[in-house]
Amino acid sequence: CSKAIIPHMNTQNKGGKIVNISSVMGKRGMPNTLAYNAANFAVIGMTQSMAKELGPYGINVNAVCPGPVDTSRMDSFGRDTQWEELASRSAIGRNGTAEEVGNFIAYLCTEDTSWITGQSINIDGGTVMEHWIKNIMPKFSANISMLFNEEMFFHRFKKAAENGFEAVEIQFPYTFDKSLILEKLKEN
């Protein structure tokens, strides 16, 4: 749909809204749902790319990521124990409705959301909660994250040595200061 409408939106030069539908399953992997997870992760990535590409034209692009919603698609779960288990995972203790998701999508198409773009927004009763401080304060949080992770890594490595592991493969994520960790290992 986006591929067909984008040229028209650009020629009209009035901006616009595109809302992609993903799923909370595009935010976290689950066993036995590889294809579904991968497809929904892809929608989120596509949404971010489109937001960057179309933002200069005044086009906002977002994705809605519903959790369990009471539609015929969920009929395979029935409406008994398994359905209730899904509901119990949400912070508000129930599954959503198609009307709730539809109303939120309609809201994303209003001018009230003109400064929201590139987001994949959960509508799931609090089943999946996220907070990415790195997006708000990159330098500050990266430094805290680096120190915390280096310290945590060192203590885990030391604990492994105390438990008799003589050889441990070390993979340094890009945020780690390798020299700091190696200095601490030499000290101990």
Side-chain angles (χ1 to χ4, degrees), residues 26 56 137:
M137 300 169 19

Side-chain angles (χ1 to χ4, degrees), residues 9-68:
M9 294 173 95
N10 284 340
T11 58
Q12 290 177 355
N13 201 27
K14 295 181 181 177
K17 311 284 186 180
I18 296 174
V19 180
N20 296 317
I21 309 300
S22 183
S23 166
V24 292
M25 298 292 279
K27 302 277 186 101
R28 61 180 181 190
M30 298 291 284
N32 305 314
T33 60
L34 176 83
Y36 188 70
N37 288 126
N40 284 288
F41 272 91
V43 170
I44 291 170
M46 179 184 76
T47 298
Q48 293 171 359
S49 292
M50 289 173 63
K52 289 282 191 177
E53 291 175 22
L54 301 174
Y57 301 100
I59 299 171
N60 300 75
V61 185
N62 292 292
V64 172
C65 302

Side-chain angles (χ1 to χ4, degrees), residues 64-183:
V64 172
C65 302
V69 177
D70 193 3
T71 64
S72 61
R73 185 180 171 285
M74 301 300 284
D75 285 349
S76 63
F77 287 100
R79 297 298 186 267
D80 53 8
T81 309
Q82 200 169 9
W83 182 248
E84 290 170 12
E85 167 62 26
L86 288 172
S88 72
R89 294 179 190 168
S90 82
I92 61 175
R94 67 174 178 83
N95 295 313
T97 67
E99 290 77 18
E100 289 169 315
V101 175
N103 289 339
F104 187 67
I105 292 168
Y107 172 68
L108 285 176
C109 295
T110 68
E111 282 306 306
D112 290 340
T113 63
S114 63
W115 208 50
I116 300 173
T117 194
Q119 303 304 304
S120 50
I121 305 167
N122 302 341
I123 179 166
D124 65 352
T127 303
V128 175
M129 296 184 195
E130 302 170 313
H131 179 69
W132 297 102
I133 193 166
K134 287 183 180 182
N135 291 340
I136 299 167
M137 300 169 19
K139 188 171 184 173
F140 177 73
S141 63
N143 290 341
I144 288 174
S145 175
M146 184 176 9
L147 291 172
F148 176 75
N149 288 333
E150 289 163 350
E151 196 67 27
M152 190 170 63
F153 175 84
F154 173 74
H155 287 292
R156 286 184 182 167
F157 186 84
K158 187 176 176 184
K159 190 74 170 166
E162 289 169 0
N163 289 327
F165 292 96
E166 293 180 5
V168 176
E169 179 182 346
I170 303 175
Q171 295 181 355
F172 292 98
Y174 70 93
T175 58
F176 281 10
D177 181 349
K178 298 171 195 165
S179 61
L180 177 66
I181 295 171
L182 294 173
E183 283 176 23

